[in-house]
Amino acid sequence: MEYMMFVATDPEAEPYDPREDNIAEWVRDVDARGIHVRGDRLRPVEDATTVRMRGGELLVTDGPFTESKEWIGGYDIIDCADLDEAIEVASKHPMARFGRIELRPAWPLEL
Amino acid sequence: MAAGALTDPGEADAARVDSDQALAAAYESEWGRIVATLIRITGDWSLAEDCVQDAFELAIGRWPREGVPRNPGAWLTTVAKNRALDRRRRSTSEASKLREVAIMQELESWGTESPDDGIEDDRLRLIFTCCHPALTLEARVALTLRTVAGLTTPEIARAFLVPETTMAQRLLRAKRKISNAGIPYRVPPDHVLAERLSGVLAVLYVLFTEGYSASSGERLLRNGLATEAIRVARALVQLMPDEPEVLGLLALMLLQNSRRDARIGADGELLTIDEQDRSLWDRSAIAEGTAMLELARIRGEAGAYQLQAAIAACHAAAATRDATDYARIATLYDRLALAHPSPVVALNRAIARGMSAGPAVGLEQVNLVAESKALDGFYLVPAAQADFLRRLGRMEEAANRYREAISLVSSDPERRYLERRLREVGH
């Protein structure tokens, strides 16, 4: 099953400590296990652009679609046997400690 | 049975009693097993529940007239399996043909192999899946009652005082999440087993306390939940006989529940252990709980449930309040506070110290807990201070503390207890 990992910040998490950031190790591990489909960091919300079509008219605005204290800082798509494996993978990501991770199962669109 | 025997009203009654007993026994032992295996084979929770429900309904209609089958479990399995085969045949679902063929084959061969083939494993899978941490606690509790214990949705709704549609929605959402989010149907592997097992035990204990500490109005209705929690815990003990904390939890529930009939007074007020009529304590529950505790002790290091069960056993073993071994209870709380520190454990430990070493020590210990501020707003803190002050004869201060406790308490029986104490200290 494919899961999207939304890697988010969390004001209540322990403060980010670059010395404890083992993201390279995490990526190596999931790549070696053949779980990782792809993933990256995302530029901060200041660089976000929101796009809407309203009444046939294109509306482009600066910024994210919701303002909040937490934001999504990265994503990973992982292909796991089940939710338990996805939880295990997510729990080892450094941002599980310094932020939080939301796991969303992909919902294949059968066309 | 002679021909025409069922026209004799006495014989007909006897047949009904037999079948009622057989049905009750089958519900206990077969519901969870059959549902668990059907879910493993089909992956379809609703189908599994419906088919087993159908099988039991057919039995309710037939067994009193036609007699109880020689092997009720096999009878129910066959009916449920045939229902499932029918339903799968009729709904050529969206699932791939190949998978459908595999499901049909496995369904058809179910029950033809060795009788107990993997069925115990299925029940464990079911319990662990119902208690998966990715479901809300409410959903875990409801799903356990529905699929493991076999309660109907309206029964669960009544027990939790919510409308039937709300409970039906809650169950449906939980089953959808299991399927959509890929929650696996299995006993977790060793490296997460301990953690997940403690999650299962927590669900059972929530279920138990929901029933045990229900407030007066709903008491009779909700006591059933405590009984169900004990029933599932017994099944878990059978399935995981070497896990000390499973035994510890069952022991704790049995020992607490043994005082069920003694804890509420004639006017619906809560009676403390000291005030209870000990002849109302359920001796057979105490004996079974004590035996379970002994088994837990033999099997391993004392966990939180085992320690709490040991404390409950100290109370259960005492013929009178004065015969209670409060020194041992205080030691057990010391161990509990060390291994599983929490503000509530700290308070209980302070109270136990007072019971063992006298009210002056008790007051001093409870005051330390109060100063930590961790339990601010919790009525038991001023209530405990008041009790020790009363024993020290400091009635004026005691009355003030009782008043503070009354202003914080939310349950009716407990409020009445405090008001009675307030009157006793002359206010």
Side-chain angles (χ1 to χ4, degrees), chain A residues 1 3 81-85 87-88 105-106 110, chain B residues 132 134 177 179-184 186 191 196:
Chain A
M1 269 185 85
Y3 295 86
D82 52 43
L83 184 62
D84 280 356
E85 190 179 26
I87 291 171
E88 183 253 318
E110 276 148 28
Chain B
H132 196 281
K177 172 143 192 201
S179 145
N180 292 343
I183 292 178
R186 63 144 190 248
H191 69 279
R196 293 282 307 280

Side-chain angles (χ1 to χ4, degrees), chain B residues 10-319:
Chain B
E11 288 278 328
D13 283 351
R16 177 159 297 282
V17 170
D18 276 357
S19 88
D20 283 355
Q21 280 172 354
L23 270 166
Y27 225 86
E28 293 258 326
S29 61
E30 306 300 335
W31 174 283
R33 284 173 200 264
I34 305 175
V35 166
T37 301
L38 266 178
I39 292 174
R40 173 176 50 81
I41 298 175
T42 66
D44 186 336
W45 288 62
S46 297
L47 173 114
E49 284 166 17
D50 291 351
C51 293
V52 181
Q53 187 93 48
D54 283 356
F56 273 92
E57 271 162 27
L58 199 66
I60 290 168
R62 284 205 183 158
W63 292 5
R65 280 187 286 116
E66 299 173 9
V68 176
R70 206 159 42 89
N71 182 341
W75 190 96
L76 290 162
T77 302
T78 305
V79 175
K81 167 182 149 178
N82 289 337
R83 284 289 147 101
L85 281 165
D86 276 357
R87 293 247 312 238
R88 300 295 300 201
R89 275 194 205 104
R90 258 184 280 133
S91 70
T92 37
S93 64
E94 72 281 9
S96 81
K97 267 273 174 331
L98 218 59
R99 168 147 168 73
E100 192 58 35
V101 169
I103 289 174
M104 297 298 275
Q105 277 174 354
E106 194 164 4
L107 263 179
E108 270 161 14
S109 66
W110 177 25
T112 58
E113 317 118 32
S114 66
D116 267 338
D117 198 36
I119 286 193
E120 297 299 339
D121 288 348
D122 283 342
R123 289 192 82 193
L124 260 189
R125 284 188 187 105
L126 181 61
I127 293 173
F128 274 100
T129 306
C130 286
C131 298
H132 196 281
L135 301 169
T136 65
L137 185 59
E138 282 181 330
R140 284 178 242 167
V141 168
L143 207 54
T144 302
L145 282 171
R146 177 72 190 111
T147 58
V148 181
L151 266 62
T152 64
T153 306
E155 283 169 339
I156 305 168
R158 276 201 303 277
F160 285 95
L161 317 172
V162 299
E164 222 175 291
T165 48
T166 308
M167 188 50 75
Q169 273 298 321
R170 189 180 295 171
L171 285 164
L172 189 65
R173 217 178 302 131
K175 286 182 256 180
R176 276 204 196 122
K177 172 143 192 201
I178 289 171
S179 145
N180 292 343
I183 292 178
Y185 191 60
R186 63 144 190 248
V187 178
D190 284 348
H191 69 279
V192 283
L193 186 64
E195 190 186 321
R196 293 282 307 280
L197 179 60
S198 81
V200 169
L201 300 181
V203 167
L204 295 186
Y205 198 47
V206 164
L207 196 52
F208 175 80
T209 46
E210 276 286 338
Y212 184 71
S213 55
S215 60
S216 58
E218 301 298 336
R219 192 154 43 89
L220 279 177
L221 196 61
R222 293 167 59 118
N223 261 345
L225 289 179
T227 312
E228 292 302 331
I230 289 174
R231 192 154 77 81
V232 177
R234 276 211 184 93
L236 200 55
V237 162
Q238 273 181 9
L239 297 167
M240 306 182 92
D242 295 324
E243 288 291 341
E245 275 295 79
V246 179
L247 290 158
L249 176 61
L250 179 57
L252 174 61
M253 289 176 175
L254 287 165
L255 289 164
Q256 283 190 352
N257 208 43
S258 72
R259 299 195 292 262
R260 189 184 57 194
D261 295 336
R263 65 194 284 273
I264 307 283
D267 300 321
E269 81 280 22
L270 196 74
L271 300 176
T272 64
I273 272 192
D274 301 346
E275 301 169 311
Q276 291 172 12
D277 174 357
R278 293 181 186 228
S279 71
L280 294 176
W281 289 1
D282 178 347
R283 292 289 142 194
S284 72
I286 291 174
E288 190 190 354
T290 312
M292 288 296 152
L293 178 60
E294 199 43 46
L295 285 178
R297 233 193 309 248
I298 294 165
R299 277 180 178 63
E301 203 178 311
Y305 292 118
Q306 189 183 319
L307 286 169
Q308 292 175 78
I311 291 163
C314 284
H315 288 295

